[in-house]
Amino acid sequence: MSEDKKDIAQRQQEAVEGIRWNEAGLLPAVVQDARTLEVLMFAYMNPESLERSLTSGQTWFWSRSRSELWHKGGTSGNTQAITSIHYDCDSDTLLVKVVPEGPACHTGENSCFYREIPLDAPAAVTEAPGADSGRFAVLGELERVIAEREANRPEGAYTTYLFDKGVDKILKKVGEEASETIIAAKNKDNAELRLEVSDLIYHLLVLLQERKLPLDEILDELSARHERPRRD
């Protein structure tokens, strides 16, 4: 085992040893989409299911009704690849961020929390001072919609058509849109360029979903490059 893996294993062990299991030996786990930050589901883990989650990289839980371990997506195929696991300040609740392969809910809904209680006067959502996330919120929403299209494959949707045809068709469309973007730029036609760049970004997001590469990882890479010292 390499030194890096030994260090990770040691820190995992220290974190797990500090967890406060409830009287039934369980721990509440909130599962969140790492890409869209949508809360997908709530379940419980016991020490064995947490261990399996850590070793397999996919979510495992403890079913209180069946008194047995269950691998999320083991039957349906709607697995959840873990990107991170956080525990709260009291060490008695987990937040598990995942890249879902399909809907989290057994009803076919993307999230188990798809029903809403109406409020008389809901608080207005305002952007935090200095925040710039609203400027690019449409990208996160588009990524979410594309993921839902892949999971549910609604008939007649263009995104469904692309996923049904597979990666070669998606790559062909990315190439076509890139070429059309170049032509629009060469023609100095900004109206056309706006349309072609929009098409290119959409098809790139479809490609990222097909490859299960979250947009957040692209943004992290860009952020890391920005922070690296320049070498003249």
Side-chain angles (χ1 to χ4, degrees):
M1 184 182 294
S2 68
E3 290 300 320
D4 287 343
K5 288 187 177 181
K6 285 182 180 179
D7 180 58
I8 291 173
Q10 181 178 347
R11 288 189 287 119
Q12 277 186 357
Q13 182 178 353
E14 291 172 354
V16 172
E17 287 176 351
I19 284 176
R20 297 171 57 189
W21 306 93
N22 67 17
E23 61 276 5
L26 302 176
L27 196 68
V30 178
V31 181
Q32 183 181 38
D33 191 315
R35 301 163 301 185
T36 66
L37 302 185
E38 181 180 19
V39 175
L40 300 177
M41 59 179 286
F42 173 86
Y44 284 88
M45 288 187 178
N46 67 356
E48 186 177 354
S49 65
L50 177 56
E51 176 63 24
R52 291 200 185 191
S53 297
L54 290 170
T55 56
S56 71
Q58 296 187 347
T59 53
W60 284 75
F61 303 102
W62 175 258
S63 172
R64 294 178 299 167
S65 60
R66 300 191 304 271
S67 296
E68 64 181 16
L69 291 169
W70 61 284
H71 174 206
K72 175 60 181 173
T75 301
S76 66
N78 298 330
T79 55
Q80 298 171 339
I82 299 172
T83 64
S84 65
I85 301 178
H86 300 258
Y87 53 98
D88 73 340
C89 54
D90 292 323
S91 301
D92 61 3
T93 304
L94 295 179
L95 174 62
V96 185
K97 294 187 178 182
V98 304
V99 176
E101 184 65 26
C105 186
H106 72 280
T107 64
E109 294 289 340
N110 193 56
S111 167
C112 292
F113 299 94
Y114 62 92
R115 295 178 291 183
E116 183 176 0
I117 300 175
L119 300 177
D120 291 334
V125 179
T126 56
E127 193 171 294
D132 198 27
S133 59
R135 183 181 175 197
F136 303 107
V138 66
L139 291 178
E141 176 62 14
L142 182 55
E143 183 183 39
R144 184 190 66 78
V145 171
I146 289 171
E148 286 187 352
R149 290 287 192 273
E150 184 190 30
N152 300 323
R153 306 290 174 101
E155 187 176 352
Y158 175 64
T159 308
T160 298
Y161 163 77
L162 289 175
F163 284 123
D164 284 345
K165 289 296 184 181
V167 67
D168 287 343
K169 181 64 176 180
I170 297 170
L171 291 172
K172 181 179 179 183
K173 290 301 298 181
V174 169
E176 290 175 357
E177 300 303 339
S179 297
E180 291 172 6
T181 296
I182 292 170
I183 292 171
K186 289 288 288 183
N187 290 339
K188 299 182 180 179
D189 185 342
N190 280 356
E192 186 67 19
L193 181 61
R194 181 177 66 250
L195 297 176
E196 298 302 342
V197 169
S198 298
D199 286 342
L200 177 59
I201 290 174
Y202 159 77
H203 285 93
L204 284 172
L205 287 175
V206 172
L207 176 61
L208 291 179
Q209 176 61 31
E210 198 281 335
R211 296 298 307 136
K212 301 300 179 289
L213 177 61
L215 179 61
D216 284 343
E217 291 192 21
I218 306 300
L219 298 178
D220 288 345
E221 175 63 24
L222 291 172
S223 178
R225 293 184 184 189
H226 176 69
E227 293 172 0
R228 287 178 198 149
R230 293 184 59 182
R231 295 181 180 178
D232 296 329

